[in-house]
Amino acid sequence: MSRPAFTWDIEINGCAGETSSKMQGDTQCSPRVPSESASDPQTQPTATVRNTHGFQLQESVYENANMDLTASEDLLGTSGAMEPMQLLFFVNGRKVTEKHVDPEMMLLPYLRKTRTKYGCGGGGCGACTVMISRYNPSTRTIRHHPVNACLTPICSLHGAAVTTVEGIGSTTTRLHPIQERIAKCHGTQCGFCTPGIVMSMYALLRNHPEPTLDQLTDALGGNLCRCTGYRPIIDACKTFCKASGCCQSKENGVCCNGDRGVNGLAEFQEGDETSPELFSEDEFLPLDPTQELIFPPELMTMAEKQPPKTRVFSGERMTWISPVTLKELVEVKFKYPQAPIVMGNTSVGPEVKFKGVFHPVVISPDRIEEMCVVSQTGDGDFISGLTLGAGLSLDQVKDVLADVVRKLPEEKTQTYHALLKHLRTLAGSQIRNMAVWGHIVSRHLDSDLNPLLAVGNCTLNLRSKDGDRQIPVSEQFLRKSPDADLRPQEVLVSVSIPCSRKWEFVSAFRQAQRQQNALAIVNSGMRVLFREGGDVIKELSIMYGGVGPTTTSAENACQKLIGRPWDEEMLHTACRLVLNEVTLPGSAPGGKVEFKRTLIISFLFKFYLEVCQSLKRMDPAHYPSLDFRHESALEDLHSTPHWRTLTHQRVDPKQIPQDPIGRPIMHLSGIKHATGEAIYCDDMPAVDRELFLTFVTSSRAHAKIVSMDLSEALSLPGVVDIITADHLQDANTFDTETFLATDEVHCVGHLVCAVIAESETQAKRAAKRVKVAYQDMESLILTIEEAIQHKSFFGPERKLECGDVDEAFKMADQILEGEIHIGGQEHFYMETQSMLVVPKGEDGEIDVYVSTQFPKYIQDVVASTLKLSANKVMCHVRRVGGAFGGKVGKTSIMAAITAFAASKTQDRQRRLASLQ
């Protein structure tokens, strides 16, 4: 649902400016004050804001809003009329009010005409990172945290302040120090990921103006960069650390990097031909926390003085309900038992986007006190456990557990230590700040936390209209067994985690492709309790994730090991029993079967060693030391300090300043990358009579197309046309490439047809309604060996030969033979395939704005498809947000079909692809 494009005329204390409701640009007189504390609203700048239609939108930038947030009494099951809902939040210091909000809309498309980038769309790349600030009236504190805008529902932002990359600085106003440093330290290349990286660092600096290196690397854990590499990005961010030339991991007062010079490198002698200086920190703008955008006092006043009321927003297909008390939440859940409870949207969001799941009603609790509780159970000094509200974010849980671990003795914090270990590597900072503790009820098969909560004997505290109930986090619960599951009307209020006991040990393990921001291939939680004063097993619990459709328990193996001493004989028996119980068939989803089996035993072996080491510390005289060969298995793999060893040519003092050879010169677009002002194809503003195109792709790898039914898709509102191979006819091929499938599809993702609609949402919705019937074909080829057997080769054959190869082999003293198998790879560029085609009207001329590495080839393919001379096709490439070879051939096919559609309809066509 698109928003009305109002033009706003703004005057703040006599400083006039113009902007749009889509937040383009920034006002040069943005109010800034020295502190974040609550201020008198009457002392703040006032503004009169009117749109071009003449009616007043806002009386004061910081004046308390006169809003009616009464909940829909009909939806809550009481009598009364529906009252209009109003959404209020701030973007870069500017007030935004929406009376007609589409609950399906995320923050990213709402802000899309700003400089925030669209990458993966699923919270995995960090390109769309923005900062959310919220005021807590109970503690009178403001919390700043980064989020992924692509997963943040706009309806969840009531009372929040959003800061995007253009809100912190621009080339027309002033640069923020992080923007300047990431550009001058050579931290950008294609620049597509840079605004997200800037905002992740900005959020960190708002909370920690002098961060440690660990805090810095943790803040960047949710941001991917595919071309620059992380070294210069870390170099830029490290300049904000208290001692940027030190590892900050000093032992005995000595830096582990020895005597380092500028930027952490050893000093070079005057006569050296190389230089370590890539930038000078003395030239950077200083970071001044007093000059940041303040939190809007209006939102403070609203949070403190206005009584909270349930909000209801209704769209064309979805209704969003935000209860503000636990009683209201229970009532709404009773009325809509199948509606999901969404707080961080990190579970429901990806399902909606990538799996097509639809929920007509969504329930989103808003700061319910009982769901944000942090309490300890026990009497006096005896603490028996911890209760954490289901509404706490994972980052808040991490901070709570870290504080508890510091205060309690080690024997009581075994489970807390294990949870902390996983929380530090779970996803990235953005997801940890969005995902809430209660997401464990989603029970994803690769959840890092669920195996630990199960072995730790944790309990879920539930509430419904029937009262309170508790259920254990057990294997039956994780398998969603009906007798151990939540009832549809129940709400998870909190999770109770008992303290560990003396002679009890808990460990967590995970193996992923990356230390952070990657789903685990296999994870595990393990716990053992020994009889008092000995090493005889009293209780044993082992759980694995990622090895089956649900979290799997080795319950039978554990039962057989009770009463056994903790020794190597027990270990050998345990390995055999666990492998027999936790089985993985060769066709297990996700593959890597042998690797996963190895990890199952590897984690068990590491747990054995960890417990042996702990027993040795508790009773050195009774338990032997570990074999030195096994000690390395207990070392956690930490990221090494980011110290670069790169040097560059020393510039001759006699070299003239205009000569760039040998000088470390900043990327010419570096500043624009860092401020988000660099325009990519997808950033181009909307044009009149613009239509959107999306493709229907094959779901089969090798099949015949039996039939294609377009009727349902064409009947949907907003759908203009559907392009098939029949429309293209002889223009459906160029050289050896076929654009749209005719009779057969050759791979999953093969283009079948293209849907044209008035909006991107309508085009995607219609594409799902195209019904294609397939008939699988024989000789499905899945391996190189099968391809050789069936003589299925890509042609034409290409060879690089020099001389007589056969004769050379005959004369060789030694010949080494063997095979190497390389799996499939993805190009994985940050900017997805996107293009805009504009017919010019005269002589069939057409403009193609496209992100490609080969514009001449695009020009030739489009000209051939439209039967035009090449000079009638103008191909524009401003910049490319990563490509790695993936924006040549396939991009030309998409451009040709998009150009054909534009020529057929004589409307502008925009093609946007999702990274899936």
Side-chain angles (χ1 to χ4, degrees):
M1 182 176 178
S2 60
R3 299 186 296 132
F6 292 140
T7 299
W8 296 353
D9 296 313
I10 300 182
E11 182 175 348
I12 302 180
N13 285 358
C15 177
E18 184 175 290
T19 183
S20 72
S21 65
K22 296 183 180 180
M23 305 303 147
Q24 297 182 27
D26 196 5
T27 306
Q28 296 188 21
C29 51
S30 298
R32 300 174 188 268
V33 299
S35 78
E36 290 277 0
S37 61
S39 304
D40 183 0
Q42 296 183 0
T43 66
Q44 303 305 320
T46 59
T48 300
V49 183
R50 299 177 183 271
N51 72 1
T52 53
H53 297 282
F55 59 85
Q56 185 168 317
L57 293 180
Q58 177 182 335
E59 294 183 355
S60 170
V61 172
Y62 297 132
E63 185 179 346
N64 186 25
N66 181 19
M67 299 184 302
D68 188 350
L69 300 180
T70 305
S72 165
E73 296 178 349
D74 291 340
L75 283 170
L76 292 177
T78 58
S79 61
M82 171 81 75
E83 298 190 31
M85 296 292 104
Q86 184 169 261
L87 179 69
L88 185 150
F89 61 100
F90 277 69
V91 177
N92 297 330
R94 298 189 181 124
K95 181 178 178 180
V96 178
T97 55
E98 288 285 348
K99 292 184 178 179
H100 305 287
V101 185
D102 184 0
E104 295 185 71
M105 179 171 283
M106 298 296 112
L107 176 61
L108 179 58
Y110 190 89
L111 296 175
R112 192 58 197 92
K113 298 310 174 185
T114 65
R115 303 166 193 165
T116 304
K117 305 304 178 190
Y118 182 105
C120 69
C125 70
C128 65
T129 301
V130 299
M131 187 183 79
I132 302 293
S133 304
R134 294 185 184 273
Y135 176 69
N136 187 330
S138 300
T139 60
R140 297 184 63 82
T141 57
I142 299 168
R143 179 173 177 253
H144 308 287
H145 60 276
V147 302
N148 295 117
C150 63
L151 289 180
T152 303
I154 190 172
C155 290
S156 68
L157 294 175
H158 185 77
V162 181
T163 305
T164 68
V165 68
E166 65 266 48
I168 68 172
S170 69
T171 57
T172 58
T173 54
R174 58 183 288 275
L175 294 177
H176 190 275
I178 181 58
Q179 294 172 319
E180 177 202 35
R181 298 186 195 190
I182 204 167
K184 291 185 177 180
C185 295
H186 319 286
T188 77
Q189 189 169 326
C190 83
F192 194 82
C193 65
T194 307
I197 291 173
V198 166
M199 290 311 300
S200 290
M201 271 304 300
Y202 178 76
L204 173 66
L205 295 174
R206 289 300 298 265
N207 296 308
H208 305 282
E210 291 186 338
T212 65
L213 188 60
D214 285 341
Q215 289 173 329
L216 187 156
T217 53
D218 183 67
L220 296 176
N223 292 85
L224 298 183
C225 176
R226 290 288 290 117
C227 54
T228 308
Y230 295 95
R231 178 198 53 78
I233 297 172
I234 292 292
D235 283 348
C237 300
K238 198 173 63 181
T239 61
F240 292 100
C241 297
K242 185 173 295 186
S244 64
C246 172
C247 69
Q248 302 182 45
S249 299
K250 293 183 178 181
E251 295 183 7
N252 301 321
V254 180
C255 176
C256 65
N257 290 284
D259 186 13
R260 298 283 182 170
V262 178
N263 302 322
L265 287 178
E267 296 288 356
F268 280 66
Q269 300 300 320
E270 187 66 29
D272 287 343
E273 297 182 356
T274 58
S275 169
E277 298 183 12
L278 290 176
F279 53 85
S280 174
E281 294 187 27
D282 296 334
E283 299 175 359
F284 294 152
L285 292 170
L287 177 67
D288 186 356
T290 66
Q291 296 303 303
E292 305 294 359
L293 278 169
I294 65 170
F295 186 83
E298 176 179 349
L299 295 183
M300 293 182 180
T301 304
M302 185 175 73
E304 290 180 341
K305 296 184 178 180
Q306 284 196 358
K309 296 181 180 179
T310 296
R311 296 180 301 280
V312 179
F313 302 104
S314 298
E316 294 180 1
R317 304 196 309 160
M318 179 186 289
T319 299
W320 179 281
I321 308 174
S322 288
V324 293
T325 66
L326 185 58
K327 180 181 178 182
E328 290 176 348
L329 172 61
V330 169
E331 290 177 353
V332 173
K333 186 62 174 171
F334 178 79
K335 188 172 182 64
Y336 301 99
Q338 302 306 319
I341 295 179
V342 173
M343 298 185 73
N345 202 41
T346 55
S347 292
V348 174
E351 289 180 349
V352 170
K353 178 175 177 60
F354 298 116
K355 298 181 180 180
V357 177
F358 174 70
H359 301 285
V361 177
V362 169
I363 304 171
S364 179
D366 184 15
R367 289 181 291 184
I368 295 176
E369 184 176 351
E370 294 92 335
M371 299 183 72
C372 298
V373 66
V374 177
S375 63
Q376 296 176 345
T377 56
D379 298 326
D381 295 333
F382 179 77
I383 298 174
S384 60
L386 192 64
T387 298
L388 301 176
L392 295 171
S393 72
L394 294 182
D395 199 66
Q396 290 174 313
V397 171
K398 179 167 69 74
D399 293 340
V400 169
L401 292 178
D403 185 60
V404 171
V405 164
R406 284 192 298 268
K407 295 178 179 179
L408 295 182
E410 184 178 358
E411 67 180 35
K412 285 182 171 289
T413 60
Q414 290 283 316
T415 306
Y416 306 148
H417 267 292
L419 285 169
L420 265 178
K421 180 181 177 181
H422 274 345
L423 285 170
R424 291 186 178 117
T425 58
L426 192 150
S429 178
Q430 297 93 325
I431 295 297
R432 289 197 301 272
N433 278 283
M434 297 172 64
V436 294
W437 186 231
H439 92 291
I440 58 176
V441 298
S442 300
R443 287 163 284 188
H444 295 296
L445 63 93
D446 47 18
S447 168
D448 289 336
L449 301 180
N450 285 348
L452 269 175
L453 296 175
V455 301
N457 294 322
C458 299
T459 304
L460 304 181
N461 302 311
L462 312 174
R463 181 170 296 184
S464 68
K465 293 195 74 173
D466 296 331
D468 294 344
R469 190 168 72 100
Q470 291 184 329
I471 60 174
V473 182
S474 60
E475 183 185 17
Q476 290 72 29
F477 166 76
L478 298 177
R479 286 183 174 178
K480 301 183 180 181
S481 299
D483 56 345
D485 203 355
L486 278 76
R487 295 165 187 158
Q489 298 88 355
E490 287 182 322
V491 173
L492 175 63
V493 178
S494 60
V495 181
S496 297
I497 313 172
C499 291
S500 55
R501 297 160 284 179
K502 190 175 182 180
W503 300 102
E504 186 174 34
F505 305 95
V506 183
S507 293
F509 306 97
R510 76 188 299 268
Q511 180 65 50
Q513 293 174 319
R514 296 181 300 276
Q515 188 177 41
Q516 278 187 313
N517 204 26
L519 293 175
I521 300 169
V522 176
N523 53 41
S524 181
M526 301 186 186
R527 178 184 64 88
V528 63
L529 174 66
F530 295 117
R531 293 174 183 171
E532 186 71 25
D535 60 355
V536 176
I537 300 173
K538 182 179 180 180
E539 295 179 16
L540 181 62
S541 182
I542 299 174
M543 303 284 289
Y544 290 101
V547 297
T550 61
T551 303
T552 303
S553 172
E555 183 178 3
N556 294 332
C558 293
Q559 288 296 321
K560 293 178 182 179
L561 293 171
I562 290 177
R564 300 281 295 269
W566 194 260
D567 54 22
E568 290 194 9
E569 183 180 351
M570 182 280 306
L571 175 64
H572 292 308
T573 304
C575 290
R576 176 175 52 80
L577 292 173
V578 168
L579 274 182
N580 289 336
E581 185 171 359
V582 184
T583 57
L584 270 171
S587 59
K592 304 179 182 177
V593 171
E594 288 303 320
F595 182 44
K596 290 182 177 181
R597 286 174 178 159
T598 303
L599 289 175
I600 290 172
I601 297 304
S602 175
F603 291 164
L604 183 56
F605 178 61
K606 291 187 70 172
F607 181 56
Y608 169 78
L609 295 178
E610 286 186 4
V611 173
C612 286
Q613 189 179 56
S614 299
L615 291 173
K616 172 68 176 177
R617 286 199 304 265
M618 294 177 68
D619 190 353
H622 187 264
Y623 299 103
S625 299
L626 287 179
D627 190 317
F628 73 93
R629 296 174 301 170
H630 299 154
E631 291 179 354
S632 63
L634 297 176
E635 298 176 3
D636 285 330
L637 297 178
H638 295 290
S639 299
T640 55
H642 300 274
W643 300 107
R644 56 186 173 84
T645 56
L646 177 70
T647 61
H648 62 85
Q649 177 182 343
R650 183 180 290 278
V651 178
D652 191 328
K654 299 178 182 179
Q655 185 172 319
I656 61 174
Q658 293 82 4
D659 185 356
I661 302 300
R663 301 182 191 275
I665 298 175
M666 182 183 69
H667 195 305
L668 290 178
S669 297
I671 294 293
K672 289 189 288 185
H673 290 162
T675 60
E677 295 172 83
I679 302 298
Y680 298 82
C681 186
D682 190 26
D683 296 325
M684 297 181 64
V687 295
D688 291 336
R689 295 169 53 201
E690 182 177 86
L691 299 177
F692 291 80
L693 181 146
T694 191
F695 288 106
V696 176
T697 59
S698 170
S699 60
R700 304 292 181 87
H702 189 207
K704 284 184 177 293
I705 297 178
V706 177
S707 65
M708 190 186 308
D709 183 0
L710 311 178
S711 57
E712 185 179 356
L714 286 170
S715 67
L716 294 178
V719 177
V720 176
D721 201 356
I722 297 180
I723 305 295
T724 65
D726 293 337
H727 293 95
L728 292 169
Q729 297 182 355
D730 60 335
N732 195 39
T733 59
F734 180 84
D735 196 12
T736 60
E737 293 281 4
T738 300
F739 300 159
L740 294 175
T742 53
D743 299 322
E744 297 181 6
V745 292
H746 302 140
C747 63
V748 173
H750 195 149
L751 303 183
V752 176
C753 62
V755 178
I756 306 168
E758 296 174 356
S759 73
E760 182 184 2
T761 301
Q762 290 171 333
K764 290 181 176 180
R765 196 172 293 166
K768 295 177 181 178
R769 301 294 181 89
V770 173
K771 299 175 181 178
V772 184
Y774 300 93
Q775 180 182 351
D776 290 333
M777 299 174 65
E778 298 297 327
S779 302
L780 191 65
I781 299 173
L782 301 176
T783 66
I784 294 293
E785 291 77 13
E786 291 174 352
I788 296 173
Q789 178 184 347
H790 292 88
K791 301 187 183 301
S792 176
F793 304 110
F794 284 107
E797 183 179 1
R798 298 179 182 180
K799 291 183 178 181
L800 292 176
E801 292 184 352
C802 182
D804 192 335
V805 177
D806 293 331
E807 190 63 27
F809 271 111
K810 292 178 182 178
M811 298 176 60
D813 295 333
Q814 293 182 346
I815 298 177
L816 301 179
E817 295 182 274
E819 293 182 355
I820 181 171
H821 293 264
I822 301 176
Q825 298 183 18
E826 297 178 0
H827 294 291
F828 194 62
Y829 27 79
M830 295 288 288
E831 179 199 25
T832 59
Q833 299 276 4
S834 59
M835 57 206 65
L836 173 66
V837 178
V838 183
K840 305 302 291 184
E842 183 178 357
D843 299 330
E845 292 183 1
I846 196 164
D847 282 356
V848 181
Y849 299 87
V850 62
S851 175
T852 181
Q853 299 166 273
F854 200 171
K856 178 61 173 66
Y857 186 64
I858 299 285
Q859 183 188 42
D860 291 341
V861 175
V862 171
S864 173
T865 303
L866 300 182
K867 295 180 171 51
L868 297 172
S869 57
N871 68 324
K872 301 292 185 183
V873 179
M874 181 66 71
C875 189
H876 305 263
V877 181
R878 293 185 63 91
R879 53 177 53 85
V880 179
F884 315 106
K887 293 183 177 177
V888 181
K890 299 306 177 186
T891 305
S892 66
I893 296 175
M894 296 179 185
I897 298 171
T898 306
F900 180 87
S903 178
K904 185 174 186 291
T905 61
Q906 282 302 303
D907 282 317
R908 285 81 169 159
Q909 298 282 333
R910 188 183 293 267
R911 153 69 184 159
L912 304 172
S914 298
L915 184 62
Q916 296 186 27

